[in-house]
Amino acid sequence: MPKCGPVVGRDSEIREVTDTLVSTGASARTLLLVGGAGTGKTAVLEQARRTVVGQGARVLRLRCHDGAAAPGAAALADGVHQVLTKVHDRWSPARTGAVRRTRLRNSGRGGELTLLSTLGEVIGDAARHLPFALMIDDVERMPSPTASALGLLLRVFRPVGVPMVLAGRPAHPGDEGVRQLTVAADRLLELPPLRPADVEALVVRRLGRPVEPALVTALVRALGPMAGTPEAVLSVLDSMAERGDFLELDGHVCLTEPEQALRLTTDVARLSRLCWPAGPPGAAALDAAAAVARNLEHAEIRLDDLHLLKPGGPRRAGLVDRTLTPLVADGILTVDEDRRIAFAVPALAAALRALPTRHAVSSLHALITRSLTDRLGAETAGGGCPRLADHVAAAGAELDDALAVDVLLAAARADARSDWSRSVRAYSSALRRLPPHDRRTPGVLRESAELSLRHADHPGALALGEPLFACLAAPSAEQDREGPGYTAAVPGRDGLVHVAGVWALAALHEHRLPPCGVDVDAGPRGGAAVEYAPAVAGFGALVGPYGLGPVTPRPGTEARRGPATAGPRPGSGPLPSAAELRLLAGAAGSRAGLSDVLPPGADGVRTLDLLRNATAYADLAGALACVLGDRYPGAGSSTAGLYHAMVSAYLRGDWDRALASARRIEARSRTRGIAAGPAQAARALTADIHCARGELGYARAWLELVPGAVTHPLVAWARLGVRYWSGQVEEAMEEALDEVRRARRSGLLSGIEKVLVRYLSFALLEAVPRAMERALDELEALDEEVGSPMTREAVLLGRGVVRRDVDSALAALQAVRRRGDAYLELLCHLGLAEIGDDSERWLAKATRGAQALGIGRATRTSLGHMTRRRTLVLPRVRPARDELSEKDIELTTMVSRGATNRQIAARLVWSEKTVERRLTRLFQRTGCRSRVELAAAWLDGSLARRDLVPDGVRGAAGGSFPGPCPGPGTPASRR
């Protein structure tokens, strides 16, 4: 991020304005600063003025457009008179008197030149005795006669030695006064839009905390051509803050609203000033603009649609000429080569939609639909003009269901290849109008599900749940006729089992809990859903192995599940077969029973190895890609896809990117309008990254979000690390073994090796040989049962550390490097440093690896223990962000002395809100939960022993803190 001055992104412009204001004598010149509304002209002028005044110069403001005098030279004379009253010397009365007399003697039109000549002379004379510069803002607000008089003054009667800076909007056609000022200026300086990096810097400054890149990207897209306008950026941020659309995670601000919901402020005055360059619109024009924004929200409108409206509807003269034409002329609306109408700034459209309007919205969409269906018929109109489907959806109850469904289905089938997303929307609109017992409903569900599955549109497939289970639970027409005992098959009904599988797969991708249809105890509808969709149970079995919920099935589901219905043939499409579902669920367990579902030969071995690696990290998307291969349509933009990217970044050691993915997943799970559940595995992995980096406050916060009922080795692994480095040594070790036992009973074996390796490393730090032997025995038994590359690596590493077998440890390191796991590679280096002959080399590699990952005091303490045991020299590597800043230390000192937030704010010249925010971040970095704990950690030297305080800083006792040594998170036996 670039270095920013007080005004973000305007350093060069401020320098140029400053240079103009300090120019004197014959070098004095005139500068016109030009920029649109909200570009920061006034901020640039004010910053330059403060800079110049700080250097001892004098800057006076000339105001000649807000007085009571008539526009023209007289108004300019009033402004000059006010300036002269601020230049106090013995000739001041003579100058003001000369201006007054000249104005009285030459009050006619022909006397303006004499008056302007006198103004130029007296201003120049005043500047010779007491040098100053003149600054004029908002020149576009000047009446044209006044601007013309000022332009004539600058061209003909310019005061000698008086620099001037003017600022205003660009001149519009017919604005003769501003045009003359443009001609009279020596230099025209136009404010360019902010660069993307400057926009991010502005957002960070306004929010006071780092922000997620996704937030800046969404904001830039929502503002479109106004993305580089500072006031527009601030307007969107203010609007988001008012509605509570921000979420802070790890000290970063994330967005919890869909991008299309970002809007400018709804303050009409501010909105008009920003977006209407020709001046604020009237009430009727603003009302019409709000109606246009609502009409364009759900459907694409073209000018041809409006010209072809049937008689009685809004005609061209009323709608196009009076409403659309002015908006297009102002640049608010755009019309492309296909005559499509759209708002240039999506955030403006969202703000207008929030304003009230007296115009009916759905009626216009109904008129556009009828204008085509009355002439062509419903199916022909829908097939020939697929975009008509959006108009039907927006018309709502204005159209009959029979007509609407015919148009929607024809449009969806015609648009399936050219614009699949619009086709999915059309199917969804049709399903909302079709009754569950309609004969067309199963076919529509099947077509929509296939389209969503083919294009990895998991949110679209997930939205089919309600109509799907309503259709499954609804009695058919034949059942109504024959009675409750009638069970004849209904055409198309068997295909709903396949739709249920698509829905369940989409639910897994969005990490919903659990994807087992509906509650089996929810009455007849729930029972029918389970009876007619037994294939969902196969997907429900994946919930536990991928950390999405309990492992064991809910009681009673097996008893109420009906006979299996034939689904798609194995390998016939992107939906996993029954055998592949067995493989996906069983890969987390032992190798027994998987031979019949594995591909033959080496392909099967490689698939199982990749699959076990994915299940160890609860990576559903990675597991599906392993099993389905080229048939896998992809994870799309689903939660599973985001988590797959997070795991990939974690394994290659790009932990900052992994944390960014985790924040996106968590913000997505709390976003209104997006049906995505939380990713528990992502929370556990994020907690472990923070724990490894020594940020225990953040680690605890993430781990507390994981429900206690989630039993997965990845969660147990994170809990073990957080508890241990929080000082709960015995509890951490005991709970880890309990969680291992629970995972084994549940059949979750993939990932247990990670927990046992961590248990072994902590036993090594605690110098408990029996615990180390026990961990190795568990690892060897696990490898016998599972036999995966990861368990083999863990056994080799365990044998190397416990039995001091260097060859085994080297073999483990080579295997880990081939597979790619930066953190486990660091543990291998640590093990070799402990047992190897070339300890200094391995210790140096471990130190470099720890630095690359941003490892904090946890591994640093481990390295320190090894160096002291083996009398080695530890390289001094410490990330700069681990140390507290000078302000943090001053804040900690005042807290330890019992100062209140108000007293701290007064001492440090902060607001009380800033004090609260800095304290919260301090608690998270130090792992303290209260002011009392922070004060205690400061007074007893714990913060210094944890390398959080720079060397040489004096503590409360008056002496310098000792050098690095184990802190309170270090095991008791090592303190």
Side-chain angles (χ1 to χ4, degrees):
M1 187 179 299
K3 184 179 179 180
C4 304
V7 180
V8 175
R10 302 298 190 200
D11 294 343
S12 60
E13 289 81 5
I14 292 173
R15 279 195 301 269
E16 189 154 357
V17 173
T18 302
D19 293 342
T20 301
L21 291 175
V22 297
S23 60
T24 57
S27 65
R29 58 188 185 273
T30 301
L31 172 71
L32 177 59
L33 184 67
V34 176
T39 53
K41 302 181 295 295
T42 302
V44 169
L45 289 184
E46 182 60 25
Q47 180 60 34
R49 186 194 67 81
R50 284 199 296 264
T51 302
V52 170
V53 171
Q55 297 172 358
R58 187 180 182 89
V59 180
L60 302 178
R61 294 184 182 274
L62 177 60
R63 303 181 185 276
C64 48
H65 42 31
D66 51 4
L76 186 58
D78 279 354
V80 172
H81 183 274
Q82 294 175 8
V83 168
L84 294 177
T85 57
K86 299 177 182 178
V87 181
H88 301 291
D89 59 18
R90 58 181 176 175
W91 292 282
S92 294
R95 297 190 198 103
T96 56
V99 173
R100 190 180 299 110
R101 286 192 303 272
T102 304
R103 181 177 176 184
L104 292 175
R105 291 173 185 172
N106 302 278
S107 58
R109 183 173 183 81
E112 286 192 354
L113 292 179
T114 305
L115 179 57
L116 292 176
S117 176
T118 303
L119 293 178
E121 291 176 0
V122 298
I123 294 174
D125 180 70
R128 280 193 297 273
H129 291 84
L130 187 62
F132 62 86
L134 285 178
M135 183 181 289
I136 310 172
D137 199 0
D138 299 328
V139 295
E140 77 279 353
R141 292 174 48 201
M142 283 186 182
S144 186
T146 306
S148 298
L150 179 59
L152 189 59
L153 174 69
L154 295 178
R155 291 200 314 274
V156 181
F157 309 106
R158 177 176 297 187
V160 177
V162 180
M164 291 189 186
V165 176
L166 303 87
R169 297 189 188 184
H172 296 290
D175 195 346
E176 184 65 22
V178 178
R179 190 187 67 81
Q180 290 190 29
L181 290 176
T182 305
V183 174
D186 299 323
R187 171 86 165 89
L188 182 66
L189 178 61
E190 186 172 357
L191 284 180
L194 293 179
R195 298 171 300 170
D198 294 329
V199 172
E200 182 177 359
L202 181 61
V203 174
V204 170
R205 169 165 298 178
R206 187 53 172 254
L207 298 179
R209 298 175 300 286
V211 298
E212 274 300 310
L215 189 156
V216 180
T217 302
L219 189 148
V220 169
R221 280 201 292 253
L223 284 174
M226 292 185 70
T229 304
E231 189 172 352
V233 174
L234 297 178
S235 174
V236 174
L237 293 178
D238 292 343
S239 177
M240 294 162 66
E242 289 174 3
R243 293 183 294 159
D245 296 342
F246 292 131
L247 172 68
E248 185 171 349
L249 296 169
D250 301 345
H252 290 70
V253 180
C254 307
L255 178 66
T256 60
E257 270 292 324
E259 183 179 317
Q260 61 270 22
L262 300 187
R263 72 188 190 196
L264 292 164
T265 178
T266 52
D267 177 44
V268 174
R270 188 179 178 188
L271 192 67
S272 302
R273 182 173 58 82
L274 268 177
C275 303
W276 268 264
L286 193 64
D287 182 53
V292 172
R294 291 193 182 185
N295 276 295
L296 293 176
E297 181 179 7
H298 299 294
E300 172 189 302
I301 296 180
R302 304 187 185 188
L303 289 178
D304 297 339
D305 298 330
L306 304 177
H307 294 164
L308 295 176
L309 289 178
K310 59 184 294 186
R315 296 180 181 275
R316 177 180 181 182
L319 184 64
V320 178
D321 291 346
R322 283 204 308 266
T323 301
L324 300 184
T325 302
L327 293 174
V328 173
D330 288 336
I332 296 172
L333 284 181
T334 61
V335 181
D336 64 10
E337 57 186 11
D338 292 329
R339 299 171 66 80
R340 284 189 294 258
I341 305 168
F343 274 84
V345 180
L348 171 61
L352 290 173
R353 288 195 295 267
L355 299 177
T357 178
R358 58 183 176 83
H359 295 278
V361 174
S362 58
S363 59
L364 176 63
H365 296 286
L367 286 169
I368 292 174
T369 303
R370 292 196 185 100
S371 67
L372 291 173
T373 57
D374 288 352
R375 289 185 291 111
L376 304 176
E379 293 186 4
T380 303
C385 185
R387 62 187 178 83
L388 200 62
D390 288 337
H391 290 287
V392 174
E398 295 278 340
L399 294 175
D400 295 334
D401 284 345
L403 171 67
V405 168
D406 289 342
V407 174
L408 289 169
L409 293 182
R413 287 158 184 161
D415 220 9
R417 292 187 177 181
S418 59
D419 192 342
W420 66 266
S421 60
R422 187 161 57 190
S423 181
V424 167
R425 292 199 304 270
Y427 278 125
S428 178
S429 299
L431 288 170
R432 284 195 293 269
R433 291 178 179 263
L434 279 172
H437 53 76
D438 193 291
R439 284 181 171 271
R440 293 173 293 180
T441 302
V444 173
L445 282 167
R446 178 67 182 254
E447 292 172 19
S448 181
E450 287 289 345
L451 193 60
S452 293
L453 183 61
R454 188 181 313 129
H455 295 281
D457 176 29
H458 302 296
L462 191 59
L464 298 176
E466 185 174 350
L468 168 65
F469 290 111
C471 184
L472 287 171
S476 65
E478 286 80 358
Q479 285 175 315
D480 290 341
R481 221 174 17 250
E482 302 294 336
Y486 184 78
T487 57
V490 179
R493 201 173 180 89
D494 290 343
L496 294 180
V497 176
H498 178 64
V499 179
V502 175
W503 173 85
L505 183 62
L508 283 171
H509 273 90
E510 293 300 337
H511 287 203
R512 300 300 296 266
L513 310 176
C516 301
V518 295
D519 191 346
V520 295
D521 297 322
R525 177 173 170 177
V530 173
E531 179 182 355
Y532 281 101
V536 176
F539 293 92
L542 303 183
V543 168
Y546 296 94
L548 304 180
V551 180
T552 54
R554 298 172 59 186
T557 54
E558 294 295 336
R560 302 184 63 170
R561 188 172 292 132
T565 306
R569 296 189 308 276
S572 63
L575 203 64
S577 65
E580 289 167 336
L581 285 174
R582 272 189 58 201
L583 178 59
L584 285 165
S590 65
R591 57 188 172 188
L594 292 179
S595 57
D596 58 330
V597 293
L598 276 173
D603 288 342
V605 175
R606 185 174 184 275
T607 297
L608 184 59
D609 289 347
L610 294 174
L611 184 55
R612 288 193 186 280
N613 193 27
T615 55
Y617 289 96
D619 181 10
L620 174 71
L624 287 167
C626 295
V627 172
L628 297 179
D630 294 338
R631 291 163 44 214
Y632 183 47
S637 59
S638 66
T639 305
L642 291 174
Y643 181 64
H644 177 71
M646 178 185 176
V647 171
S648 300
Y650 172 83
L651 290 176
R652 66 174 178 266
D654 192 353
W655 281 9
D656 289 331
R657 187 180 294 273
L659 290 176
S661 297
R663 289 189 287 265
R664 285 186 62 196
I665 293 171
E666 188 64 26
R668 178 187 175 97
S669 71
R670 307 187 193 187
T671 297
R672 296 181 288 277
I674 295 180
Q680 310 298 352
R683 290 170 171 175
L685 197 58
T686 307
D688 191 71
I689 292 175
H690 282 301
C691 178
R693 289 185 165 183
E695 300 163 341
L696 291 177
Y698 288 149
R700 293 192 197 102
W702 280 97
L703 207 50
E704 287 170 358
L705 297 174
V706 181
V710 176
T711 302
H712 194 276
L714 192 65
V715 178
W717 178 58
R719 285 172 178 158
L720 172 58
V722 173
R723 286 168 180 161
Y724 179 86
W725 290 112
S726 296
Q728 306 169 20
V729 179
E730 295 182 1
E731 179 184 353
M733 307 288 276
E734 292 176 3
E735 289 291 335
L737 293 179
D738 287 342
E739 295 199 45
V740 165
R741 285 190 288 268
R742 286 197 296 270
R744 292 183 71 96
R745 286 197 299 269
S746 301
L748 298 184
L749 303 182
S750 289
I752 286 181
E753 67 278 357
K754 294 174 62 65
V755 186
L756 293 174
V757 165
R758 174 162 283 180
Y759 180 92
L760 189 151
S761 65
F762 290 159
L764 173 64
L765 286 176
E766 291 295 309
V768 185
R770 292 181 59 186
M772 295 169 61
E773 289 286 352
R774 180 177 182 180
L776 179 58
D777 292 342
E778 292 273 359
L779 283 172
E780 290 175 339
L782 182 68
D783 186 47
E784 278 292 320
E785 191 174 0
V786 176
S788 71
M790 291 185 68
T791 58
R792 186 61 183 167
E793 294 165 9
V795 169
L796 289 173
L797 180 59
R799 288 173 180 170
V801 173
V802 176
R803 298 172 186 171
R804 308 190 71 81
D805 186 345
V806 177
D807 291 338
S808 292
L810 285 172
L813 175 61
Q814 292 172 0
V816 168
R817 282 176 176 169
R818 284 194 300 268
R819 185 171 56 85
D821 189 332
Y823 190 46
L824 191 54
E825 184 177 346
L826 170 63
L827 296 182
C828 290
H829 288 154
L830 290 174
L832 285 166
E834 177 71 16
I835 65 174
D837 296 332
D838 195 1
S839 297
E840 290 188 357
R841 180 168 69 93
W842 297 116
L843 192 61
K845 288 189 175 185
T847 303
R848 286 194 295 270
Q851 183 186 21
L853 295 175
I855 294 293
R857 67 179 180 87
T859 302
R860 181 75 189 181
T861 303
S862 304
L863 293 171
H865 293 162
M866 293 177 182
T867 58
R868 282 190 292 275
R869 279 200 300 269
R870 302 179 65 87
T871 64
L872 300 173
V873 177
L874 178 63
R876 184 69 172 175
V877 177
R878 178 173 57 213
R881 65 170 174 268
D882 275 1
E883 290 184 353
L884 299 180
S885 66
E886 183 179 346
K887 287 293 185 183
D888 289 333
I889 292 172
E890 191 172 359
L891 176 60
T892 305
T893 304
M894 296 187 70
V895 168
S896 67
R897 294 173 181 170
T900 64
N901 284 2
R902 180 172 299 180
Q903 292 169 334
I904 295 173
R907 172 70 180 276
L908 301 180
V909 197
W910 291 345
S911 67
E912 292 189 47
K913 187 171 291 186
T914 300
V915 174
E916 293 176 2
R917 185 169 63 246
R918 295 291 291 263
L919 272 176
T920 301
R921 293 171 62 184
L922 198 56
F923 290 156
Q924 291 168 338
R925 290 189 61 193
T926 60
C928 299
R929 300 196 178 198
S930 66
R931 298 166 72 100
V932 174
E933 288 187 16
L934 180 63
W938 170 258
L939 294 173
D940 65 11
S942 299
L943 297 183
R945 291 194 297 271
R946 288 155 55 184
D947 289 351
L948 292 174
V949 179
D951 296 337
V953 174
R954 301 184 68 82
S960 296
F961 286 122
C965 63
T970 306
S973 62
R974 296 290 177 189
R975 291 182 186 170

